[in-house]
Amino acid sequence: MKEEAVDVVALIAFLAVVRHRHYGHAAAELGVSISAVTKRVQRLEVELGVPLIERDSGGVIGLTAAGRRFVQVAPRVLEAAQAARLAALAEPTERLAVAIPAGVEAVAPLMPAALATLELSLSHAYPGVGVALVPTVFDRLTADLLDGVVDAVLSFGASEAEGVTSTRLGELRRVGLVPTGHPYTYRRSVPVAEFARQRLLYSPDLPRSYMDPFVLADVRPREGAALVALTASRTSDVAGQLLAGHGITVIPAALSAALPPALKRVELEGVPPCWYYLHHRTADLRPELLAMIALFADFTETITRAAQPRRH
């Protein structure tokens, strides 16, 4: 075994797999993909220098001899690591500020839990460093980054601003959003090309690259589309325009977990893939910031999975 600190996030994934004897069930418990769980367990095995889990093509999972020995002490290792973190990091001495579009926090209820997991991973490498999500009005997202008010911006497209680097994160799954009573309310799903022909709301205060995923510019050319400009500084402004009947819109699936009864999520058939992005100042190369950016792919994946409709 290598004389290195055990990766706590990887250890949590390993113990979840042991409990469920199944990668898919462990992934569901942790709110991440099967691939993420697999990579974490593999990372732990590399750190320890021994294989821990035996796998077969049927999904049956067992422990190696080393795994059986390790699982006897792993829970105590995790408890000790978490206790040490709570003692040392009860209050982070430094917080990296990440701007998010204002109002997003109200309709993505799993954000705090996902952020706590991200902070746990970050603190393993950078003790005392935390992360704060900063709700920011639309037209200040890029400005606050360039002015140094925030350290990064979580958004929905690559930034075109000079001096800003955009890092692609997890996949952004899009759904339609309509007022209850709209004809689409009564359909299980709508072809994305049909949805793209409707009057779609958009904010001219956001850069075009940020807005393009939500006006379905990757489905048909933006020029000639039936776009309805609205004055909006936060997501609640968009909801008000929807309820007024001015148009319909597209949103990230992650923001559809806690919709009010007056709004209805609509599944879109054939919607192309696109991605979340995290933007930071190109000249800002602090190791803790770059480490946080690398962790944000799991963060976006977690909040998206939490918003999936329950299937019975």
Side-chain angles (χ1 to χ4, degrees):
M1 183 183 297
K2 298 178 182 179
E3 294 183 0
E4 296 177 352
V6 174
D7 183 328
V8 175
V9 174
L11 182 57
I12 291 171
F14 168 73
L15 291 174
V17 171
V18 170
R19 280 195 300 276
H20 293 286
R21 302 279 166 166
H22 193 279
Y23 274 80
H25 297 165
E29 175 191 325
L30 298 175
V32 299
S33 68
I34 295 174
S35 174
V37 172
T38 300
K39 289 177 182 177
R40 291 175 187 182
V41 172
Q42 290 173 341
R43 192 165 71 231
L44 181 62
E45 290 175 326
V46 170
E47 286 180 353
L48 297 177
V50 291
L52 300 174
I53 291 178
E54 295 176 335
R55 314 160 179 83
D56 68 16
S57 59
V60 177
I61 294 172
L63 295 176
T64 64
R68 289 192 294 272
R69 292 192 298 271
F70 183 69
V71 79
Q72 299 302 313
V73 299
R76 295 197 294 276
V77 173
L78 179 60
E79 290 171 5
Q82 291 175 330
R85 178 181 180 274
L86 288 174
L89 302 177
E91 183 60 39
T93 56
E94 176 189 359
R95 285 196 180 276
L96 298 171
V98 179
I100 59 174
V104 163
E105 70 282 3
V107 286
L110 199 71
M111 269 194 169
L115 184 64
T117 301
L118 185 151
E119 282 193 319
L120 177 62
S121 301
L122 184 63
S123 66
H124 179 64
Y126 297 96
V129 178
V131 180
L133 298 180
V134 182
T136 304
V137 293
F138 294 164
D139 61 352
R140 292 299 310 174
L141 287 168
T142 299
D144 282 1
L145 176 62
L146 293 174
D147 291 346
V149 177
V150 296
D151 301 294
V153 174
L154 177 64
S155 193
F156 316 115
S159 175
E160 298 173 352
E162 185 176 353
V164 173
T165 295
S166 299
T167 301
R168 197 175 88 174
L169 305 176
E171 183 174 345
L172 165 64
R173 201 171 79 76
R174 291 170 288 178
V175 297
L177 189 64
V178 301
T180 299
H182 186 280
Y184 286 161
T185 302
Y186 309 104
R187 293 171 59 175
R188 295 176 64 107
S189 62
V190 177
V192 69
E194 176 185 334
F195 202 92
R197 291 195 294 270
Q198 312 308 310
R199 290 165 53 85
L200 298 181
L201 300 174
Y202 84 106
S203 171
D205 292 328
L206 278 172
R208 178 170 175 148
S209 59
Y210 288 11
M211 280 301 309
D212 275 355
F214 306 109
V215 297
L216 299 175
D218 52 345
V219 175
R220 48 90 188 96
R222 181 166 175 161
E223 289 70 27
L227 303 183
V228 180
L230 70 155
T231 301
S233 61
R234 58 192 67 242
T235 57
S236 58
D237 298 335
V238 179
Q241 295 291 317
L242 279 170
L243 295 175
H246 295 159
I248 58 180
T249 195
V250 175
I251 63 169
L255 304 188
S256 64
L259 293 173
L263 298 176
K264 176 72 164 48
R265 164 181 171 150
V266 178
E267 298 299 321
L268 300 178
E269 302 169 14
V271 64
C274 61
W275 292 267
Y276 289 97
Y277 283 83
L278 200 67
H279 318 292
H280 73 283
R281 293 181 297 279
T282 302
D284 189 351
L285 298 177
R286 287 174 290 165
E288 61 271 31
L289 174 66
L290 300 182
M292 180 199 71
I293 292 170
L295 291 168
F296 249 87
D298 275 354
F299 175 87
T300 53
E301 187 175 281
T302 297
I303 59 176
T304 295
R305 285 173 58 87
Q308 299 305 312
R310 301 293 182 186
R311 301 191 185 280
H312 303 284

mmCIF file of all heavy atoms in Angstrom, residues 243-272:
data_model
loop_
_atom_site.group_PDB
_atom_site.id
_atom_site.type_symbol
_atom_site.label_atom_id
_atom_site.label_comp_id
_atom_site.label_asym_id
_atom_site.label_seq_id
_atom_site.Cartn_x
_atom_site.Cartn_y
_atom_site.Cartn_z
ATOM 1 N N LEU A 243 -46.189 32.981 -17.765
ATOM 2 C CA LEU A 243 -47.559 33.003 -17.253
ATOM 3 C C LEU A 243 -48.398 34.075 -17.938
ATOM 4 O O LEU A 243 -49.626 33.946 -18.021
ATOM 5 C CB LEU A 243 -47.539 33.232 -15.737
ATOM 6 C CG LEU A 243 -46.880 32.099 -14.929
ATOM 7 C CD1 LEU A 243 -46.786 32.469 -13.458
ATOM 8 C CD2 LEU A 243 -47.667 30.804 -15.105
ATOM 9 N N ALA A 244 -47.746 35.108 -18.451
ATOM 10 C CA ALA A 244 -48.473 36.168 -19.170
ATOM 11 C C ALA A 244 -48.809 35.749 -20.597
ATOM 12 O O ALA A 244 -49.494 36.478 -21.320
ATOM 13 C CB ALA A 244 -47.654 37.456 -19.175
ATOM 14 N N GLY A 245 -48.308 34.584 -21.010
ATOM 15 C CA GLY A 245 -48.639 34.075 -22.338
ATOM 16 C C GLY A 245 -47.826 34.678 -23.464
ATOM 17 O O GLY A 245 -48.226 34.605 -24.629
ATOM 18 N N HIS A 246 -46.670 35.262 -23.152
ATOM 19 C CA HIS A 246 -45.869 35.912 -24.185
ATOM 20 C C HIS A 246 -45.057 34.928 -25.011
ATOM 21 O O HIS A 246 -44.530 35.287 -26.068
ATOM 22 C CB HIS A 246 -44.945 36.950 -23.545
ATOM 23 C CG HIS A 246 -45.691 38.079 -22.905
ATOM 24 N ND1 HIS A 246 -45.144 38.881 -21.932
ATOM 25 C CD2 HIS A 246 -46.955 38.542 -23.099
ATOM 26 C CE1 HIS A 246 -46.028 39.785 -21.553
ATOM 27 N NE2 HIS A 246 -47.143 39.599 -22.246
ATOM 28 N N GLY A 247 -44.894 33.730 -24.536
ATOM 29 C CA GLY A 247 -44.130 32.716 -25.254
ATOM 30 C C GLY A 247 -43.826 31.553 -24.340
ATOM 31 O O GLY A 247 -44.298 31.510 -23.192
ATOM 32 N N ILE A 248 -43.054 30.595 -24.833
ATOM 33 C CA ILE A 248 -42.627 29.460 -24.028
ATOM 34 C C ILE A 248 -41.109 29.422 -24.058
ATOM 35 O O ILE A 248 -40.469 30.238 -24.731
ATOM 36 C CB ILE A 248 -43.248 28.140 -24.528
ATOM 37 C CG1 ILE A 248 -42.885 27.879 -26.002
ATOM 38 C CG2 ILE A 248 -44.760 28.181 -24.353
ATOM 39 C CD1 ILE A 248 -43.474 26.575 -26.548
ATOM 40 N N THR A 249 -40.497 28.494 -23.314
ATOM 41 C CA THR A 249 -39.043 28.538 -23.221
ATOM 42 C C THR A 249 -38.467 27.152 -23.024
ATOM 43 O O THR A 249 -39.184 26.166 -22.867
ATOM 44 C CB THR A 249 -38.598 29.477 -22.080
ATOM 45 O OG1 THR A 249 -37.209 29.768 -22.221
ATOM 46 C CG2 THR A 249 -38.860 28.866 -20.719
ATOM 47 N N VAL A 250 -37.157 27.113 -23.043
ATOM 48 C CA VAL A 250 -36.381 25.897 -22.793
ATOM 49 C C VAL A 250 -35.513 26.165 -21.569
ATOM 50 O O VAL A 250 -34.977 27.266 -21.412
ATOM 51 C CB VAL A 250 -35.491 25.557 -24.010
ATOM 52 C CG1 VAL A 250 -34.589 24.368 -23.712
ATOM 53 C CG2 VAL A 250 -36.355 25.283 -25.224
ATOM 54 N N ILE A 251 -35.393 25.172 -20.679
ATOM 55 C CA ILE A 251 -34.579 25.330 -19.473
ATOM 56 C C ILE A 251 -33.730 24.082 -19.255
ATOM 57 O O ILE A 251 -34.024 23.026 -19.823
ATOM 58 C CB ILE A 251 -35.447 25.585 -18.222
ATOM 59 C CG1 ILE A 251 -36.356 24.377 -17.940
ATOM 60 C CG2 ILE A 251 -36.259 26.859 -18.357
ATOM 61 C CD1 ILE A 251 -37.053 24.438 -16.581
ATOM 62 N N PRO A 252 -32.691 24.158 -18.413
ATOM 63 C CA PRO A 252 -31.973 22.943 -18.037
ATOM 64 C C PRO A 252 -32.883 22.034 -17.219
ATOM 65 O O PRO A 252 -33.661 22.511 -16.376
ATOM 66 C CB PRO A 252 -30.818 23.475 -17.171
ATOM 67 C CG PRO A 252 -30.699 24.924 -17.500
ATOM 68 C CD PRO A 252 -32.076 25.375 -17.834
ATOM 69 N N ALA A 253 -32.806 20.736 -17.453
ATOM 70 C CA ALA A 253 -33.605 19.795 -16.665
ATOM 71 C C ALA A 253 -33.327 19.963 -15.180
ATOM 72 O O ALA A 253 -34.217 19.762 -14.343
ATOM 73 C CB ALA A 253 -33.311 18.368 -17.102
ATOM 74 N N ALA A 254 -32.097 20.358 -14.826
ATOM 75 C CA ALA A 254 -31.732 20.525 -13.423
ATOM 76 C C ALA A 254 -32.575 21.583 -12.713
ATOM 77 O O ALA A 254 -32.684 21.565 -11.487
ATOM 78 C CB ALA A 254 -30.254 20.884 -13.308
ATOM 79 N N LEU A 255 -33.178 22.499 -13.476
ATOM 80 C CA LEU A 255 -33.966 23.564 -12.871
ATOM 81 C C LEU A 255 -35.454 23.243 -12.855
ATOM 82 O O LEU A 255 -36.272 24.117 -12.580
ATOM 83 C CB LEU A 255 -33.733 24.885 -13.612
ATOM 84 C CG LEU A 255 -32.280 25.346 -13.715
ATOM 85 C CD1 LEU A 255 -32.220 26.748 -14.291
ATOM 86 C CD2 LEU A 255 -31.584 25.279 -12.359
ATOM 87 N N SER A 256 -35.801 22.005 -13.139
ATOM 88 C CA SER A 256 -37.228 21.655 -13.200
ATOM 89 C C SER A 256 -37.663 20.795 -12.026
ATOM 90 O O SER A 256 -38.759 20.235 -12.027
ATOM 91 C CB SER A 256 -37.522 20.908 -14.508
ATOM 92 O OG SER A 256 -36.835 19.668 -14.555
ATOM 93 N N ALA A 257 -36.820 20.694 -10.985
ATOM 94 C CA ALA A 257 -37.134 19.808 -9.870
ATOM 95 C C ALA A 257 -38.170 20.399 -8.917
ATOM 96 O O ALA A 257 -38.836 19.665 -8.200
ATOM 97 C CB ALA A 257 -35.864 19.466 -9.096
ATOM 98 N N ALA A 258 -38.308 21.711 -8.889
ATOM 99 C CA ALA A 258 -39.205 22.332 -7.917
ATOM 100 C C ALA A 258 -40.035 23.430 -8.576
ATOM 101 O O ALA A 258 -40.112 24.553 -8.089
ATOM 102 C CB ALA A 258 -38.401 22.892 -6.745
ATOM 103 N N LEU A 259 -40.661 23.101 -9.693
ATOM 104 C CA LEU A 259 -41.464 24.087 -10.408
ATOM 105 C C LEU A 259 -42.766 24.366 -9.665
ATOM 106 O O LEU A 259 -43.353 23.460 -9.064
ATOM 107 C CB LEU A 259 -41.788 23.575 -11.817
ATOM 108 C CG LEU A 259 -40.615 23.424 -12.788
ATOM 109 C CD1 LEU A 259 -41.082 22.757 -14.073
ATOM 110 C CD2 LEU A 259 -39.981 24.781 -13.089
ATOM 111 N N PRO A 260 -43.265 25.602 -9.740
ATOM 112 C CA PRO A 260 -44.589 25.881 -9.168
ATOM 113 C C PRO A 260 -45.678 25.205 -10.000
ATOM 114 O O PRO A 260 -45.463 24.884 -11.181
ATOM 115 C CB PRO A 260 -44.688 27.412 -9.260
ATOM 116 C CG PRO A 260 -43.757 27.789 -10.369
ATOM 117 C CD PRO A 260 -42.636 26.799 -10.327
ATOM 118 N N PRO A 261 -46.854 24.962 -9.419
ATOM 119 C CA PRO A 261 -47.928 24.260 -10.140
ATOM 120 C C PRO A 261 -48.346 24.947 -11.442
ATOM 121 O O PRO A 261 -48.863 24.286 -12.340
ATOM 122 C CB PRO A 261 -49.086 24.251 -9.131
ATOM 123 C CG PRO A 261 -48.434 24.406 -7.800
ATOM 124 C CD PRO A 261 -47.231 25.264 -8.025
ATOM 125 N N ALA A 262 -48.105 26.243 -11.553
ATOM 126 C CA ALA A 262 -48.543 26.979 -12.738
ATOM 127 C C ALA A 262 -47.661 26.722 -13.953
ATOM 128 O O ALA A 262 -48.003 27.156 -15.060
ATOM 129 C CB ALA A 262 -48.582 28.474 -12.438
ATOM 130 N N LEU A 263 -46.539 26.042 -13.769
ATOM 131 C CA LEU A 263 -45.623 25.767 -14.878
ATOM 132 C C LEU A 263 -45.452 24.269 -15.074
ATOM 133 O O LEU A 263 -45.491 23.499 -14.119
ATOM 134 C CB LEU A 263 -44.257 26.415 -14.616
ATOM 135 C CG LEU A 263 -44.247 27.939 -14.497
ATOM 136 C CD1 LEU A 263 -42.862 28.445 -14.141
ATOM 137 C CD2 LEU A 263 -44.744 28.595 -15.790
ATOM 138 N N LYS A 264 -45.275 23.861 -16.310
ATOM 139 C CA LYS A 264 -45.211 22.441 -16.651
ATOM 140 C C LYS A 264 -43.953 22.144 -17.460
ATOM 141 O O LYS A 264 -43.660 22.815 -18.445
ATOM 142 C CB LYS A 264 -46.459 22.060 -17.467
ATOM 143 C CG LYS A 264 -46.482 20.626 -17.975
ATOM 144 C CD LYS A 264 -46.713 19.638 -16.850
ATOM 145 C CE LYS A 264 -47.125 18.261 -17.366
ATOM 146 N NZ LYS A 264 -46.319 17.713 -18.431
ATOM 147 N N ARG A 265 -43.232 21.118 -17.059
ATOM 148 C CA ARG A 265 -42.069 20.620 -17.795
ATOM 149 C C ARG A 265 -42.541 19.771 -18.966
ATOM 150 O O ARG A 265 -43.471 18.974 -18.830
ATOM 151 C CB ARG A 265 -41.206 19.801 -16.847
ATOM 152 C CG ARG A 265 -40.178 18.899 -17.492
ATOM 153 C CD ARG A 265 -39.433 18.132 -16.414
ATOM 154 N NE ARG A 265 -38.574 17.096 -16.959
ATOM 155 C CZ ARG A 265 -37.447 16.689 -16.375
ATOM 156 N NH1 ARG A 265 -37.061 17.254 -15.246
ATOM 157 N NH2 ARG A 265 -36.716 15.730 -16.906
ATOM 158 N N VAL A 266 -41.898 19.946 -20.114
ATOM 159 C CA VAL A 266 -42.234 19.183 -21.318
ATOM 160 C C VAL A 266 -40.969 18.500 -21.831
ATOM 161 O O VAL A 266 -39.950 19.169 -22.061
ATOM 162 C CB VAL A 266 -42.812 20.103 -22.419
ATOM 163 C CG1 VAL A 266 -43.100 19.305 -23.684
ATOM 164 C CG2 VAL A 266 -44.070 20.810 -21.930
ATOM 165 N N GLU A 267 -41.009 17.184 -22.007
ATOM 166 C CA GLU A 267 -39.851 16.469 -22.550
ATOM 167 C C GLU A 267 -39.705 16.787 -24.041
ATOM 168 O O GLU A 267 -40.700 16.876 -24.769
ATOM 169 C CB GLU A 267 -40.007 14.961 -22.355
ATOM 170 C CG GLU A 267 -40.097 14.530 -20.901
ATOM 171 C CD GLU A 267 -38.855 14.884 -20.112
ATOM 172 O OE1 GLU A 267 -37.724 14.759 -20.664
ATOM 173 O OE2 GLU A 267 -38.985 15.315 -18.947
ATOM 174 N N LEU A 268 -38.475 16.963 -24.488
ATOM 175 C CA LEU A 268 -38.189 17.283 -25.883
ATOM 176 C C LEU A 268 -37.547 16.071 -26.557
ATOM 177 O O LEU A 268 -36.527 15.562 -26.095
ATOM 178 C CB LEU A 268 -37.260 18.490 -25.971
ATOM 179 C CG LEU A 268 -37.788 19.793 -25.361
ATOM 180 C CD1 LEU A 268 -36.742 20.896 -25.463
ATOM 181 C CD2 LEU A 268 -39.081 20.222 -26.035
ATOM 182 N N GLU A 269 -38.152 15.639 -27.652
ATOM 183 C CA GLU A 269 -37.636 14.479 -28.386
ATOM 184 C C GLU A 269 -36.542 14.914 -29.358
ATOM 185 O O GLU A 269 -36.725 15.859 -30.125
ATOM 186 C CB GLU A 269 -38.764 13.808 -29.186
ATOM 187 C CG GLU A 269 -39.940 13.345 -28.354
ATOM 188 C CD GLU A 269 -41.112 12.944 -29.231
ATOM 189 O OE1 GLU A 269 -40.924 12.771 -30.463
ATOM 190 O OE2 GLU A 269 -42.233 12.832 -28.698
ATOM 191 N N GLY A 270 -35.407 14.236 -29.312
ATOM 192 C CA GLY A 270 -34.349 14.493 -30.280
ATOM 193 C C GLY A 270 -33.541 15.744 -30.030
ATOM 194 O O GLY A 270 -32.889 16.247 -30.945
ATOM 195 N N VAL A 271 -33.558 16.254 -28.805
ATOM 196 C CA VAL A 271 -32.793 17.475 -28.523
ATOM 197 C C VAL A 271 -31.299 17.146 -28.552
ATOM 198 O O VAL A 271 -30.859 16.157 -27.979
ATOM 199 C CB VAL A 271 -33.214 18.085 -27.172
ATOM 200 C CG1 VAL A 271 -32.895 17.161 -26.005
ATOM 201 C CG2 VAL A 271 -32.568 19.445 -26.976
ATOM 202 N N PRO A 272 -30.495 17.937 -29.271
ATOM 203 C CA PRO A 272 -29.059 17.640 -29.363
ATOM 204 C C PRO A 272 -28.360 17.829 -28.012
ATOM 205 O O PRO A 272 -28.830 18.585 -27.163
ATOM 206 C CB PRO A 272 -28.536 18.660 -30.382
ATOM 207 C CG PRO A 272 -29.756 19.182 -31.077
ATOM 208 C CD PRO A 272 -30.873 19.091 -30.088
#
